[in-house]
Amino acid sequence: MKKLMLLGLSMLLVLGILAGCNSNKEESSSEGNNEGSGDGEVVTLNFFQFKVEIADQLQEMIKEFEAEHPNIKVKLETVGGGADYGAALKAKFASGEEPDIFNNGGFKELELWKEHLADLSNEPWAEHVLPIGKVPTTDTDGKLYGMPVNLEGYGFIYNKDLFEKAGITETPKTLSELQDAVKKLEAAGIKAFSAGYGEWWVIGQHLFNIPFAQQDDPVAFIEGLNDGSTKFAGNEQFSQLKEVIDLEVKNGVGNPITTDYNTQVTLFASGEAAMLQQGNWTENMITEINPDMNMGFLPIPLNDEADADLLPVGVPNNWVLNKNSEHLEEAKTFLNWMVSSETGKRYITEEFAFIPAFDNIEPAGLGDLGQSILEYSKAEKTIPWTWFRWPDGANKEFAATIQEYAAGKISYDEALEKFQATWDNLK
């Protein structure tokens, strides 16, 4: 009997030790998953993004992240460069293939997607976001739902060498000066513009933003469109936009109305046109084609007023997290690593050629275009990006109307009426 009792106690002791070991293993595994390190199960984050111009560099950065976090894999998928990212994202959610990390523009887009977004207000990087970077994805509840990708600006990128060849000694800052520069370029046998009117976002978003942003109070003007107290027809800035469209289309290389993004940038980078209506996100592509390109920014002036010399600068988009992700903590780890590790910071400034939207990241390694945007920003010579406040889908319809006008199918007065109908139908 005594032997049986001792045997029973021994068995209990062994079982207790085994249970303790299993418990410790489970704890260790759980901690490893949360931190993205240790011997835990490997998880995969689905990263669905639209910035095609950094797709290759982003993939390289992910490899370095994975090397430092062996328990986290990141599957990158890029849809953009003319493709409809918004429609593709909606299709992802509709099919049940919800990404863990994706893009959101804020403002109206924040309202549309807020139910899917994780609150990022208390993330370590949040305190370092520049004030302008918080605006798009800070909701009325005061919570921050997105991490700004970067700061960007756009306008007319110009080839300084071609300007010099045409005898243009002063960079144009007003509409009249731009028109004079175009005449000098044409006289020297140089095409003035590489105009990408085949891309909806180039004209229906970026170009069409200029008259919105040049209003005395852009937000009040948009609110007026919503309540019917303001109209496109009769508005000075929208009437002036006609001159810019006419100038680009009549003095563009090839057929501007069918020119897509890649062709547009390539034509400029190859020296076939002196100006390009684009932003600093094109820097990598341009310098890959022409490493010796000497370039900078001009405004897109609507008139001859002193405030015509302004560049639209803003947050192009934000990284957001799916609050229903099974790997939310790992996704948070990835975002924090991007803007806090030395590797992530280097990629943002040197590989992506981004202007950081954080006060803890030095804007080192900026190229000509990034530096030009930074100079305009420091001089407070900027206007806002307003399209995130427009009705969903309006930008594509605005683009279709601009294309119709540029092709000579409708008058500009008819275009103004169509702009109004688009807003009224979608608001």
Side-chain angles (χ1 to χ4, degrees):
M1 177 67 73
K2 191 172 181 180
K3 286 181 179 180
L4 286 172
M5 287 177 66
L6 287 171
L7 181 62
L9 286 170
S10 299
M11 289 293 291
L12 288 171
L13 182 61
V14 169
L15 288 171
I17 291 170
L18 287 173
C21 288
N22 286 336
S23 174
N24 286 339
K25 281 182 183 177
E26 286 172 10
E27 269 185 42
S28 174
S29 176
S30 174
E31 288 172 4
N33 283 337
N34 287 336
E35 298 298 326
S37 59
D39 299 323
E41 176 188 357
V42 174
V43 303
T44 298
L45 300 175
N46 290 306
F47 187 1
F48 187 62
Q49 71 99 30
F50 85 104
K51 293 190 73 62
V52 294
E53 65 272 16
I54 62 162
D56 293 340
Q57 295 91 337
L58 193 56
Q59 188 63 65
E60 290 302 310
M61 188 192 76
I62 286 170
K63 288 180 184 177
E64 301 214 33
F65 170 79
E66 290 175 338
E68 294 182 28
H69 301 79
N71 288 354
I72 306 176
K73 300 299 178 186
V74 182
K75 180 183 177 183
L76 179 67
E77 183 177 355
T78 300
V79 171
D84 193 336
Y85 176 81
L89 181 61
K90 289 176 183 176
K92 285 280 187 186
F93 274 79
S95 67
E97 299 178 5
E98 301 182 7
D100 303 287
I101 307 168
F102 55 101
N103 288 117
N104 185 279
F107 299 113
K108 285 283 186 180
E109 274 189 39
L110 177 60
E111 292 177 24
L112 288 172
W113 288 91
K114 184 181 171 183
E115 64 179 299
H116 300 286
L117 306 184
D119 177 8
L120 304 177
S121 306
N122 296 319
E123 290 305 293
W125 49 262
E127 64 178 321
H128 295 293
V129 180
L130 297 174
I132 190 176
K134 291 184 177 181
V135 175
T137 54
T138 298
D139 199 27
T140 52
D141 58 12
K143 295 179 180 178
L144 181 67
Y145 289 92
M147 185 175 88
V149 173
N150 62 327
L151 294 180
E152 288 181 348
Y154 67 93
F156 285 132
I157 302 170
Y158 73 107
N159 183 322
K160 294 182 178 181
D161 294 333
L162 289 182
F163 267 49
E164 184 179 348
K165 184 179 178 181
I168 303 168
T169 56
E170 295 291 330
T171 53
K173 300 292 195 299
T174 66
L175 181 61
S176 293
E177 290 172 356
L178 181 63
Q179 290 168 332
D180 289 341
V182 169
K183 290 176 183 176
K184 289 180 180 179
L185 289 164
E186 294 291 326
I190 301 168
K191 276 293 182 182
F193 296 101
S194 178
Y197 278 51
E199 297 285 8
W200 64 265
W201 55 276
V202 173
I203 53 175
Q205 189 159 286
H206 291 170
L207 181 60
F208 205 61
N209 173 66
I210 301 298
F212 276 99
Q214 286 280 16
Q215 302 294 322
D216 290 336
D217 187 336
V219 175
F221 179 76
I222 290 171
E223 289 173 351
L225 288 173
N226 288 331
D227 65 25
S229 62
T230 58
K231 302 286 183 185
F232 289 105
N235 180 269
E236 184 179 17
Q237 287 79 9
F238 280 93
S239 296
Q240 293 167 342
L241 179 64
K242 176 184 183 297
E243 297 298 324
V244 178
I245 296 173
D246 290 348
L247 194 65
E248 274 202 271
V249 174
K250 290 176 181 176
N251 299 282
V253 61
N255 184 354
I257 301 168
T258 59
T259 299
D260 63 13
Y261 173 75
N262 286 330
T263 304
Q264 182 197 16
V265 177
T266 301
L267 287 170
F268 173 78
S270 302
E272 295 186 47
M275 286 180 280
L276 171 75
Q277 185 221 301
Q278 276 294 346
N280 63 296
W281 52 85
T282 61
E283 187 136 19
N284 284 340
M285 184 175 175
I286 292 170
T287 53
E288 280 176 13
I289 297 170
N290 184 355
D292 299 321
M293 176 66 79
N294 184 18
M295 57 187 169
F297 270 108
L298 302 174
I300 303 176
L302 296 179
N303 50 47
D304 292 342
E305 302 296 327
D307 61 359
D309 183 24
L310 302 172
L311 292 185
V313 176
V315 176
N317 225 287
N318 305 272
W319 307 123
V320 294
L321 302 183
N322 184 347
K323 73 177 184 182
N324 296 317
S325 167
E326 294 180 3
H327 310 300
L328 182 58
E329 291 308 310
E330 288 85 355
K332 288 181 177 180
T333 296
F334 177 72
L335 285 194
N336 189 53
W337 180 88
M338 282 179 69
V339 297
S340 62
S341 71
E342 291 307 311
T343 302
K345 291 177 183 179
R346 177 175 61 81
Y347 268 89
I348 287 172
T349 57
E350 297 179 20
E351 303 299 328
F352 301 166
F354 278 177
I355 303 171
F358 296 82
D359 63 16
N360 65 320
I361 304 178
E362 287 296 320
L366 293 179
D368 288 348
L369 299 184
Q371 192 61 42
S372 188
I373 293 296
L374 191 60
E375 288 169 5
Y376 266 86
S377 299
K378 286 181 177 179
E380 298 184 350
K381 295 170 62 176
T382 64
I383 49 178
W385 294 13
T386 66
W387 57 83
F388 294 118
R389 298 180 184 273
W390 303 351
D392 189 34
N395 45 16
K396 297 179 185 65
E397 293 199 19
F398 292 149
T401 299
I402 293 171
Q403 287 168 340
E404 280 189 275
Y405 168 70
K409 295 179 180 178
I410 60 173
S411 69
Y412 195 70
D413 285 342
E414 289 174 312
L416 290 171
E417 291 175 6
K418 285 199 165 194
F419 296 149
Q420 190 66 53
T422 291
W423 194 281
D424 293 343
N425 291 336
L426 296 177
K427 67 181 179 182

